[in-house]
Amino acid sequence: MTLTRVDVTPGAKQLIEELREEHGDLLFHQSGGCCDGSAPMCYPRGDFKIGSRDVLLGWIADTPFFMGGDQFEYWKHTHLTVDVVPGRGSGFSVESPHGVRFLTRSRVLSTEELESLAPPATGPEALTR
């Protein structure tokens, strides 16, 4: 199995698939901003503009997962796993009305893991995989 910077739990994958049926193609962005701390936000893909410094960490459940460039500088040594937990998150994220919220769990990557990862793509061009 190839190492990635981001992964998804089975429960979160199922929710993403259900949300895709409801909203169409989706996109995750984790900025570390104000609205829900550093919770990942899930948007219909056309509703969020990817900036030139946003970093594509990878794809989970056929959905791109981006992080703000400044935030990535703090998190570049970590592996993230997107999970889903009960509770209401931000009103901006599409799972919010379902009484659940996405949550990222992290662990520090080993030196060997870091060396095996390709540099991440940045900006909206990263969506063309």
Side-chain angles (χ1 to χ4, degrees):
M1 183 173 181
T2 304
L3 178 69
T4 61
R5 291 181 182 275
V6 63
D7 204 352
V8 63
T9 65
K13 181 178 181 184
Q14 180 179 342
L15 179 59
I16 293 167
E17 291 166 354
E18 292 170 10
L19 293 171
R20 185 181 303 108
E21 288 180 24
E22 185 178 342
H23 298 281
D25 287 338
L26 302 169
L27 174 142
F28 277 92
H29 191 272
Q30 182 155 343
S31 67
C34 65
C35 295
D36 217 10
S38 59
M41 299 292 167
C42 184
Y43 304 101
R45 198 166 302 170
D47 287 3
F48 188 88
K49 184 174 169 91
I50 297 298
S52 62
R53 296 202 57 235
D54 287 330
V55 176
L56 176 65
L57 297 184
W59 290 74
I60 54 171
D62 295 320
T63 303
F65 189 102
F66 283 87
M67 179 179 278
D70 291 340
Q71 189 72 4
F72 178 72
E73 286 304 309
Y74 293 108
W75 289 79
K76 64 185 174 187
H77 298 76
T78 61
H79 178 271
L80 302 179
T81 301
V82 177
D83 200 356
V84 62
V85 296
R88 187 169 163 88
S90 169
F92 297 116
S93 195
V94 294
E95 83 282 2
S96 183
H98 296 267
V100 295
R101 63 187 181 94
F102 288 111
L103 173 85
T104 50
R105 301 182 190 281
S106 63
R107 70 170 178 85
V108 175
L109 292 162
S110 71
T111 302
E112 294 80 21
E113 288 174 319
L114 278 170
E115 290 171 354
S116 74
L117 289 170
T122 58
E125 301 81 25
L127 283 173
T128 57
R129 55 174 177 156

